[in-house]
Amino acid sequence: MSQKLPSLLGGAMIIAGTAIGAGMFANPTATAGLWFIGSILALIYTWFCMTTSGLMILEANLHYPTGASFSTIVKDLLGNSANIINSLSLVFVLYILTYAYITSGGGITENLLNQLLSSESNTVELGRSYGSLIFCLILAAFVWLSTKAVDRFTTILIVGMVIAFFLSTAGLLTSVKTEVLFNTIAEGEQSYLPYLLAALPVCLVSFGFHGNVPSLVKYYNRDGKRVEKSIILGTLIALIIYVLWQLAIQGNLPRHEFAPVIAKDGDIAALLGALSKYIQTEYMAVILNFFAYMAIASSFLGVTLGLFDYIADLFKFDDSIAGRTKTTLITFLPPLVLSLQFPFGFVIAIGYAGLAATIWAAIVPALLARACRKKFPEQTYTVFGGNFMIYFIILFGVLNIVAQLAARYGYLPMFKG
């Protein structure tokens, strides 16, 4: 009898949960220069390219044993030098993201526990270190248990996120003003296209899930079509939530009012403060905190699951309790220690992740697909689009690298509101 495969929804939730992180709050601010139509086109373009590059990883992954991750695949198809570059960029991104989520999740955990444990007569101050430790240990336990445990808990988190999202944005979505959304009441400069390149790297980070592809190949027992559907469904869920969030914010807050929000790097408190002139936002702050917490937790689970399977493949740890424990310690200890030493580095850490992510989430997958088709003429699963799509994705990666370097050295026009 064939073993029943896990549900399609479970894999999609892992993908969506990994992609939808707290970085989503930066999207309306980062794309304010493009404004609504331009930002939606940039998000759709990025969604298409990132989903396709994820499927290219799947295509290559299916030619290797179950459990094989990037280290094995890249080394065999692209050689040692490419594997070293890819491994460094992948480990850097996943560890940096894990650190960033521990620091931000730890902060929210600290505040939540202090409120729950404090009374009128006794104020409890646990401290950020305890919050980070509790957040990391509880969620790491799910990764240690199994991919199925991550699937189940991520599904609960995503359902909570969707409920919190619609509760917090219901008022915004029903009060969208077309003149604001299409900027017909514009003040100040009216150009949009010059801000396209600056927005692309932020959109790219919003669709990062690629470290989970080898995990899903293992989870679905090498059923390529099932993995493909879970990737497409998961990234579509992320895209829909991003579009609704853009609609809610950019349909209520005029383009020229983004100046104070941009000045504070898209801080959610600054965003709510700017919105408060146009709509009641008191209730939103509480619900968005819950949304952010669940988004951080689900992204943490997805990112660390990919890192966990990569480390297991790199060090050839088996799936026994001892093997999973060793993998867990290498996965979680370095970013946890870093978080305890430097508890306020979330924004800086996320900023450094984008450039390295472009290498292993866009350019390397395209190169893997090209090398894979030469080495394995008999393909059981092939990504659509032939060689054209390979170069289309490489161009997407190059555009993002150029944009990030140009922005860092001041060569790109930046919208100031």
Side-chain angles (χ1 to χ4, degrees):
M1 291 180 66
S2 60
Q3 186 181 1
K4 185 181 177 183
L5 291 176
S7 73
L8 180 64
L9 185 63
M13 290 297 104
I14 290 173
I15 296 295
T18 306
I20 305 168
M24 146 180 174
F25 293 125
N27 280 349
T29 306
T31 60
L34 282 176
W35 206 234
F36 183 67
I37 297 297
S39 67
I40 298 307
L41 292 175
L43 282 168
I44 291 172
Y45 168 60
T46 304
W47 163 78
F48 176 81
C49 291
M50 291 292 275
T51 301
T52 304
S53 68
L55 296 178
M56 288 175 173
I57 296 171
L58 169 63
E59 178 181 333
N61 207 156
L62 289 172
H63 292 282
Y64 293 85
T66 302
S69 191
F70 289 88
S71 178
T72 298
I73 299 165
V74 176
K75 186 176 181 179
D76 186 58
L77 288 176
L78 302 179
N80 275 326
S81 298
N83 186 42
I84 291 169
I85 294 170
N86 184 71
S87 295
L88 288 173
S89 62
L90 183 147
V91 169
F92 176 76
V93 171
L94 295 186
Y95 269 130
I96 281 290
L97 288 177
T98 302
Y99 157 73
Y101 291 136
I102 290 174
T103 57
S104 54
I108 301 174
T109 302
E110 174 202 2
N111 293 334
L112 185 63
L113 289 176
N114 285 344
Q115 288 174 19
L116 288 173
L117 298 175
S118 295
S119 61
E120 290 183 9
S121 59
N122 183 34
T123 302
V124 175
E125 294 286 346
L126 282 180
R128 175 65 69 91
S129 295
Y130 285 106
S132 296
L133 198 60
I134 292 166
F135 176 83
C136 183
L137 288 177
I138 291 174
L139 294 181
F142 286 93
V143 179
W144 175 81
L145 277 170
S146 66
T147 302
K148 188 173 184 178
V150 174
D151 155 10
R152 294 288 185 266
F153 192 47
T154 303
T155 301
I156 293 169
L157 290 170
I158 293 285
V159 171
M161 280 169 58
V162 170
I163 293 170
F165 177 79
F166 282 106
L167 284 175
S168 61
T169 59
L172 292 174
L173 289 169
T174 54
S175 63
V176 168
K177 304 169 188 69
T178 54
E179 64 272 18
V180 174
L181 193 66
F182 299 110
N183 204 31
T184 56
I185 55 161
E187 295 180 16
E189 58 98 3
Q190 296 301 297
S191 54
Y192 301 95
L193 195 58
Y195 305 112
L196 172 62
L197 274 182
L200 282 181
V202 179
C203 295
L204 181 144
V205 174
S206 300
F207 289 101
F209 65 89
H210 298 65
N212 295 124
V213 177
S215 305
L216 291 183
V217 171
K218 181 179 177 181
Y219 189 44
Y220 286 120
N221 197 24
R222 308 181 62 79
D223 185 334
K225 284 296 178 185
R226 180 66 67 103
V227 179
E228 177 191 58
K229 288 175 182 175
S230 69
I231 289 172
I232 293 171
L233 179 59
T235 56
L236 263 177
I237 291 169
L239 177 65
I240 289 166
I241 287 179
Y242 292 150
V243 169
L244 290 173
W245 181 241
Q246 295 288 112
L247 179 67
I249 302 301
Q250 294 183 349
N252 286 280
L253 184 63
R255 186 173 182 244
H256 61 273
E257 294 280 5
F258 267 86
V261 188
I262 293 168
K264 292 193 176 180
D265 295 321
D267 178 69
I268 189 65
L271 181 62
L272 292 176
L275 273 170
S276 64
K277 293 199 298 187
Y278 299 92
I279 190 171
Q280 290 291 322
T281 60
E282 291 84 358
Y283 71 96
M284 285 178 60
V286 177
I287 303 172
L288 281 175
N289 266 328
F290 279 104
F291 176 88
Y293 196 35
M294 288 180 282
I296 289 165
S298 63
S299 289
F300 176 86
L301 286 170
V303 165
T304 54
L305 177 64
L307 181 58
F308 182 95
D309 285 333
Y310 174 81
I311 287 169
D313 176 49
L314 181 66
F315 292 105
K316 307 304 176 190
F317 292 145
D318 60 27
D319 220 21
S320 66
I321 291 176
R324 292 186 73 83
T325 301
K326 285 187 282 188
T327 309
T328 300
L329 290 173
I330 296 174
T331 301
F332 293 101
L333 265 183
L336 177 59
V337 169
L338 196 64
S339 176
L340 297 177
Q341 291 296 314
F342 306 101
F344 300 103
F346 178 77
V347 174
I348 296 170
I350 290 290
Y352 280 108
L355 189 62
T358 306
I359 296 170
W360 69 270
I363 293 175
V364 167
L367 296 176
L368 286 177
R370 188 178 67 171
C372 179
R373 291 170 195 180
K374 290 179 180 177
K375 184 165 185 172
F376 305 106
E378 297 296 322
Q379 294 279 99
T380 56
Y381 173 84
T382 308
V383 179
F384 60 90
N387 286 331
F388 168 79
M389 193 55 63
I390 288 172
Y391 295 109
F392 187 80
I393 300 303
I394 290 174
L395 176 62
F396 167 75
V398 170
L399 277 175
N400 271 275
I401 289 174
V402 168
Q404 289 176 69
L405 291 176
R408 186 162 297 177
Y409 293 106
Y411 293 116
L412 280 184
M414 305 300 288
F415 182 70
K416 301 293 184 183

